[in-house]
Amino acid sequence: MVNNRISAKLSEEAFARIRAAFAQIRADLPFLLDLTKEQKKALPKFGDKSIPFVNKTLEFAKEHSDVIPARLPMEEFSRDVTLYNQLFMIYHEGKELCDQINDTYLQVGAEAYSTALAVYANLQINQNLFDGSELVLDELSKRFIQKTKKDTTTEQI
């Protein structure tokens, strides 16, 4: 039996607004990067303990600018810390939203797939009751054809 935990409809207008909101977020963050694995590995490790360290260091540097070498880019440091703190909040809000979207996506997908399996089983049982059943079942059965790892022949599971 299908476990229907969610029954919702997203209007086309709401869907369009959400997509537009994502486009606006990207437009407001034109500096976002897409780092490679190698680039990420090369970065200094920066974790939860580093956040207060960086913020306190900036605070100290502002209070004691006379002992900070002029060659250090303090204005850029301040901008980086401010942006980091803003992105930290955006990231956590976005991650929470993405996690909820993902969980809902998984649940709705599981519900749809479970219902599709039930419909498919019913069609198999009742294939002699409707015209064109062979074509329909052939098309639907493609979902269950899988290539073996040893060769490129296909077998039905």
Side-chain angles (χ1 to χ4, degrees), residues 9 11 25 43 45 51 54 62 73 77-78 83 88 100 110 149 153:
K9 182 178 180 182
S11 72
I25 290 168
L43 294 174
K45 301 306 172 230
I51 298 166
V54 168
K62 285 180 178 179
F77 177 43
S78 180
L83 181 59
F88 180 84
Q100 291 172 324
K149 292 183 179 182
T153 61

Side-chain angles (χ1 to χ4, degrees), residues 2-157:
V2 177
N3 180 10
N4 192 30
R5 293 189 60 202
I6 185 163
S7 180
K9 182 178 180 182
L10 183 61
S11 72
E12 288 299 319
E13 295 82 13
F15 181 66
R17 282 192 309 272
I18 292 164
R19 303 270 328 268
F22 278 115
Q24 185 59 56
I25 290 168
R26 282 191 175 91
D28 288 342
L29 300 169
F31 47 81
L32 291 179
L33 302 175
D34 192 11
L35 300 174
T36 66
K37 286 181 184 181
E38 293 77 25
Q39 290 170 320
K40 290 175 188 177
K41 279 179 111 173
L43 294 174
K45 301 306 172 230
F46 184 83
D48 291 342
K49 292 180 182 178
S50 301
I51 298 166
F53 170 78
V54 168
N55 285 318
K56 286 285 185 192
T57 302
L58 177 61
E59 211 175 285
F60 175 82
K62 285 180 178 179
E63 291 173 8
H64 305 284
S65 59
D66 54 321
V67 296
I68 304 299
R71 63 178 162 69
L72 290 178
M74 296 313 297
E75 192 174 313
E76 183 61 31
F77 177 43
S78 180
R79 271 196 304 272
D80 286 347
V81 172
T82 299
L83 181 59
Y84 174 82
N85 288 324
Q86 291 169 329
L87 290 174
F88 180 84
M89 295 300 297
I90 293 169
Y91 170 79
H92 286 285
E93 289 173 8
K95 184 177 181 329
E96 183 179 315
L97 178 62
C98 284
D99 289 346
Q100 291 172 324
I101 291 170
N102 187 59
D103 290 350
T104 306
Y105 170 77
L106 291 173
Q107 181 65 41
V108 170
E111 290 177 14
Y113 185 61
S114 294
T115 302
L117 288 172
V119 168
Y120 179 63
N122 192 296
L123 290 173
Q124 287 178 310
I125 292 168
N126 297 302
Q127 63 183 308
N128 60 340
L129 299 178
F130 65 97
D131 291 335
S133 64
E134 241 180 80
L135 292 173
V136 171
L137 289 171
D138 280 350
E139 181 65 28
L140 294 177
S141 69
K142 291 177 183 175
R143 159 61 181 94
F144 302 101
I145 296 175
Q146 181 176 330
K147 290 185 179 185
T148 62
K149 292 183 179 182
K150 292 182 181 179
D151 59 35
T152 58
T153 61
T154 58
E155 67 180 53
Q156 190 142 1
I157 56 172

